[in-house]
Amino acid sequence: MAITRRHLLQTGAVAALTPVMGMAIGIPAMSSAQADSGGGEPAWRHALSLFGDVKYAADFKHFDYVNPDAPKGGTVRSILIGTFDNFNLAIAGVKGNIVAAIPLIYENLMTSSLDEVSTGYGALAEAASYPDDFSFVIYRLRPQAKWHDGKPVTADDVVFSFDAFKKYDPMSAAYYSHVVRAEKVNDRDVKFVFDGPGNRELPHIVGQLTILPKHWWEGTDSDGKKRDVSATTLEKPLGSGPYRVKEFVPGRSITFERVKEYWGNELAVNVGRNNFEELRYEYFRDGTVALEAFKADQVDWRTENSAKNWATAYDFPAVSEKRVVLEEFPLRNSGVMQAFALNLRRAKFSDPKVRRALNYAFDFEEMNKQIFFGQYKRISSYFDGAEELMATGLPQGQELEILEGVRAEVPPEVFTTAYSNPVGGNPQASRDNLREALRLMKEAGYEVRDRKQVDVKTGTPFTIELLTQQPEFERVMLFYKPSLERLGIAVSVRTIDPSQYENRMREWDFDIVTSSWPQSLSPGNEQREFWGTKAADVPGSRNILGIKNPAIDKLIDRVIFAKNRAELVAATKALDRVLLWNHYVVPQWNYPKLRTARWDRFGRPAELPKYGASGFPAVWWYDADKANRIAKRS
């Protein structure tokens, strides 16, 4: 399944230590073959592209990056960290712990190609149509589309799904805030009406909607109890996709089996994909235990998020014997902000001078040398890695024009000083940075009394809890802790289990956590969910920082309603610059590749998709000959 921005929002499937590829969104276009018929009605299009002509014509046979003759069969075992107690995707952001791989059982209206920056091709939908002013879009369902129980996928399912996600999932509500309603035109056609013209990405992102079975959710379970789409469930859900849930142990493991009678097997978008007979996911609470399970050949594939592990933990015999393959895959289609996230809802973080002081206390360069083996670079943008979108130097041209519209509402440094993080890495730089941090704290109304940083007016000590759900991340927080304590700040580091962590995040019960916001090459409506005022008080939203800033809201609108690529880039740079100069986070680090380790049992196409990172498991397959060689050498 292609990773879309909405999928990332739904599942929260963003690793704390590694950027995750997003989906680029830009300006809708169509291929020449899809030109308007001249009758005045919008053309039906087999694909929607947001950067220009689509690569694949309406009669294409398969994507270039797949092996259309890939064998079907075999099992792949993968690792997930955490736990799960919910299969209901509609409430993934607000209740329970969703199974991260549950989208495998469903289909979206469209599916993304992984060798184009931003093109979607028909999946459940065979075509889409929208007018020149982007005021609505109509999706037409494929007549052969069926649920796993044999019933057809209908327009009623689409309307039901849209209403459920928008009502119960705050992330989807923000993502689709400009979509007023979905209405049934007939059994196969659904019209999505927007709140106004000009929002060019809406026709495309509506196609990312995951479709749920209305008849199943409005029915009863095996005990005769009526199902509730607003509640968690561990009943095996009904899907329409290439896989279904075979078996599971709550919180421990889940196995998906390939649906041999899957209605979409012959679709061009699916040829050469979904090759494994079974996909098994083993859940671990602890990353160290997960690593040992991989070494013991209890799982086949591992994504490595730890620089230390990548440098030191893969020296076991199977690696030297080449039974285990270590490989890095470039991440070409993403940007990211990963950071210590400060909870602005707490008064102690309300002053940007305090927030900037916390950045001066973070000696990234020394940390990179001591515990990351020098593998990382410091993040200096909310779109780090997407160079075209990063604010650099001083604002110029159209970016400057956009910023002039909010000049009175943003820090003056936006116009006068290029943003940069403090630089440490040696004792003198560290001392200088801590002196600057103390100066900033004093300007913010704090002073050191009896070696404690206190509020001058109230005498209240300044304390911080660094919260994490990842035991392996404690070492990062423990490295940061002494520098904060040298400022007189009392610091505690606390690691809790994933369920507690989810509940505390939903209640905004934290001081500082590590979070990351994946960015596409062409941002849009999701920026409201990340930084918008309306999302700040919505439990489960991605505005975990609690930003409520009218200037940022205005800049987000400039991004969303950009009329062309140049304006989009300028508006994104302006947004980036204002976010940076408000010091909402202490930026961490980035790594431009996906580190992976695998037992050598699998085959893959000669060329992987440019924008698909590893492309695993979607376009890989089980190689019986390789598996037998490993078995003989074990």
Side-chain angles (χ1 to χ4, degrees):
M1 176 179 181
I3 299 175
T4 66
R5 290 184 304 175
R6 185 170 178 277
H7 174 60
L8 290 171
L9 290 173
Q10 274 183 344
T11 63
V14 179
L17 302 179
T18 291
V20 175
M21 186 191 72
M23 178 180 177
I25 304 296
I27 303 169
M30 60 180 171
S31 69
S32 57
Q34 299 297 109
D36 197 282
S37 62
E41 294 296 322
W44 286 103
R45 313 159 190 244
H46 76 287
L48 300 185
S49 173
L50 304 178
F51 279 123
D53 288 346
V54 301
K55 177 178 180 179
Y56 299 96
D59 60 350
F60 81 105
K61 303 304 181 185
H62 57 79
F63 292 128
D64 289 346
Y65 52 81
V66 303
N67 173 7
D69 301 316
K72 306 291 185 182
T75 297
V76 59
R77 304 163 298 169
S78 299
I79 290 170
L80 289 171
I81 300 296
T83 185
F84 72 91
D85 59 8
N86 179 31
F87 288 154
N88 183 1
L89 197 57
I91 58 167
V94 291
K95 294 182 181 179
N97 296 286
I98 191 72
V99 175
I102 202 64
L104 288 166
I105 75 168
Y106 296 114
E107 285 281 13
N108 298 351
L109 294 172
M110 306 285 275
T111 192
S112 301
S113 66
L114 299 180
D115 57 351
E116 298 172 84
V117 171
S118 58
T119 304
Y121 294 83
L124 279 176
E126 66 179 9
S129 175
Y130 59 84
D132 291 340
D133 67 356
F134 310 103
S135 59
F136 67 85
V137 66
I138 298 175
Y139 276 91
R140 175 162 291 172
L141 298 173
R142 296 184 187 274
Q144 70 268 39
K146 290 181 173 56
W147 298 104
H148 294 156
D149 63 2
K151 294 184 178 181
V153 179
T154 69
D156 290 323
D157 296 314
V158 179
V159 173
F160 170 81
S161 302
F162 175 78
D163 291 344
F165 280 115
K166 195 165 183 183
K167 180 177 181 180
Y168 298 115
D169 178 23
M171 302 179 192
S172 296
Y175 198 45
Y176 293 134
S177 61
H178 290 291
V179 185
V180 176
R181 64 185 180 277
E183 55 188 41
K184 176 181 176 180
V185 178
N186 53 53
D187 283 347
R188 289 177 54 203
D189 292 354
V190 181
K191 182 178 183 179
F192 295 88
V193 180
F194 308 146
D195 62 1
N199 193 329
R200 294 167 173 256
E201 75 167 355
L202 287 180
H204 193 288
I205 67 172
V206 165
Q208 297 171 6
L209 182 67
T210 301
I211 308 305
L212 308 173
K214 179 181 179 182
H215 70 281
W216 189 85
W217 278 105
E218 292 185 345
T220 57
D221 62 20
S222 58
D223 296 325
K225 183 179 178 182
K226 185 173 175 58
R227 298 186 181 96
D228 182 0
V229 75
S230 69
T232 61
T233 182
L234 279 175
E235 180 184 7
K236 292 181 182 179
L238 179 70
S240 64
Y243 288 91
R244 61 183 161 219
V245 177
K246 178 182 180 181
E247 58 190 10
F248 65 95
V249 178
R252 299 284 300 277
S253 65
I254 184 167
T255 301
F256 297 87
E257 62 180 351
R258 189 168 63 87
V259 179
K260 294 182 177 62
E261 66 277 16
Y262 169 49
W263 67 270
N265 276 329
E266 303 305 316
L267 293 181
V269 295
N270 290 326
V271 171
R273 300 174 68 242
N274 309 314
N275 300 315
F276 290 101
E277 194 66 25
E278 290 187 352
L279 301 173
R280 187 176 304 162
Y281 294 89
E282 301 290 342
Y283 273 80
F284 295 86
R285 300 288 183 103
D286 185 278
T288 301
V289 176
L291 175 58
E292 293 306 313
F294 173 78
K295 290 180 178 180
D297 197 9
Q298 295 178 23
V299 289
D300 300 297
W301 180 279
R302 173 177 170 81
T303 298
E304 182 54 72
N305 295 328
S306 167
K308 177 184 177 182
N309 285 344
W310 193 244
T312 65
Y314 293 89
D315 58 353
F316 54 102
V319 174
S320 58
E321 295 165 2
K322 301 190 183 305
R323 291 183 292 137
V324 166
V325 177
L326 308 182
E327 189 168 4
E328 295 183 319
F329 299 92
L331 296 169
R332 300 187 180 98
N333 192 27
S334 64
V336 70
M337 168 54 78
Q338 179 178 297
F340 291 110
L342 315 181
N343 188 355
L344 305 178
R345 302 168 189 85
R346 301 202 161 166
K348 59 189 171 186
F349 298 127
S350 62
D351 193 318
K353 293 185 178 69
V354 169
R355 304 194 295 264
R356 179 66 167 169
L358 299 181
N359 196 353
Y360 271 98
F362 179 50
D363 192 341
F364 163 76
E365 288 73 21
E366 189 64 26
M367 177 184 287
N368 196 31
K369 286 188 292 186
Q370 290 196 23
I371 67 177
F372 292 151
F373 296 83
Q375 293 184 31
Y376 292 116
K377 70 175 185 64
R378 186 86 190 269
I379 284 177
S380 59
S381 167
Y382 280 74
F383 301 85
D384 197 85
E387 293 186 7
E388 184 185 19
L389 305 176
M390 296 169 60
T392 57
L394 295 178
Q396 300 178 33
Q398 193 170 16
E399 181 194 354
L400 180 57
E401 292 175 14
I402 292 170
L403 286 170
E404 288 290 355
V406 292
R407 179 181 279 271
E409 304 170 78
V410 301
E413 293 90 346
V414 164
F415 297 92
T416 63
T417 310
Y419 178 85
S420 63
N421 290 305
V423 177
N426 61 72
Q428 184 60 52
S430 178
R431 286 192 293 269
D432 291 344
N433 287 340
L434 289 176
R435 288 192 192 98
E436 179 62 13
L438 286 169
R439 185 189 70 78
L440 289 166
M441 293 295 292
K442 185 174 182 179
E443 287 188 5
Y446 291 88
E447 69 179 18
V448 177
R449 297 175 182 172
D450 298 325
R451 304 180 70 179
K452 295 179 181 179
Q453 193 77 237
V454 299
D455 187 314
V456 172
K457 293 181 179 178
T458 66
T460 305
F462 197 104
T463 64
I464 289 176
E465 180 187 64
L466 299 174
L467 184 68
T468 183
Q469 62 175 331
Q470 298 175 288
E472 63 270 24
F473 207 75
E474 285 182 5
R475 65 195 183 109
V476 171
M477 293 181 165
L478 290 172
F479 188 97
Y480 191 19
K481 179 182 178 181
S483 294
L484 294 171
E485 290 176 333
R486 289 178 67 183
L487 299 179
I489 297 173
V491 181
S492 62
V493 175
R494 187 175 182 190
T495 302
I496 57 179
D497 67 52
S499 294
Q500 287 180 297
Y501 187 86
E502 284 294 326
N503 289 333
R504 287 189 60 173
M505 293 300 293
R506 287 168 183 163
E507 296 170 1
W508 314 125
D509 181 19
F510 68 93
D511 283 342
I512 298 178
V513 296
T514 285
S515 190
S516 61
W517 294 266
Q519 296 284 2
S520 72
L521 293 182
S522 196
N525 285 269
E526 79 290 342
Q527 301 303 308
R528 282 207 177 105
E529 172 66 12
F530 290 166
W531 333 113
T533 295
K534 289 184 178 179
D537 294 325
V538 178
S541 88
R542 287 288 287 132
N543 187 354
I544 68 168
L545 300 170
I547 295 173
K548 294 181 179 181
N549 187 318
I552 286 175
D553 291 335
K554 293 174 185 176
L555 293 173
I556 290 172
D557 281 346
R558 289 301 301 265
V559 170
I560 292 173
F561 291 99
K563 295 180 177 62
N564 51 58
R565 178 68 185 175
E567 182 180 350
L568 177 68
V569 169
T572 302
K573 287 185 174 182
L575 174 62
D576 185 29
R577 197 178 299 274
V578 173
L579 286 168
L580 288 167
W581 275 112
N582 275 284
H583 308 298
Y584 293 131
V585 300
V586 177
Q588 293 183 346
W589 50 86
N590 194 4
Y591 192 72
K593 296 180 181 179
L594 184 71
R595 309 182 190 97
T596 68
R598 68 181 185 272
W599 287 86
D600 192 19
R601 298 185 172 100
F602 311 112
R604 71 184 192 202
E607 291 190 19
L608 291 173
K610 182 176 181 180
Y611 300 117
S614 68
F616 188 87
V619 302
W620 293 56
W621 59 87
Y622 186 80
D623 189 317
D625 291 338
K626 287 185 176 182
N628 288 335
R629 285 196 293 271
I630 284 182
K632 290 176 181 178
R633 295 168 63 185
S634 297

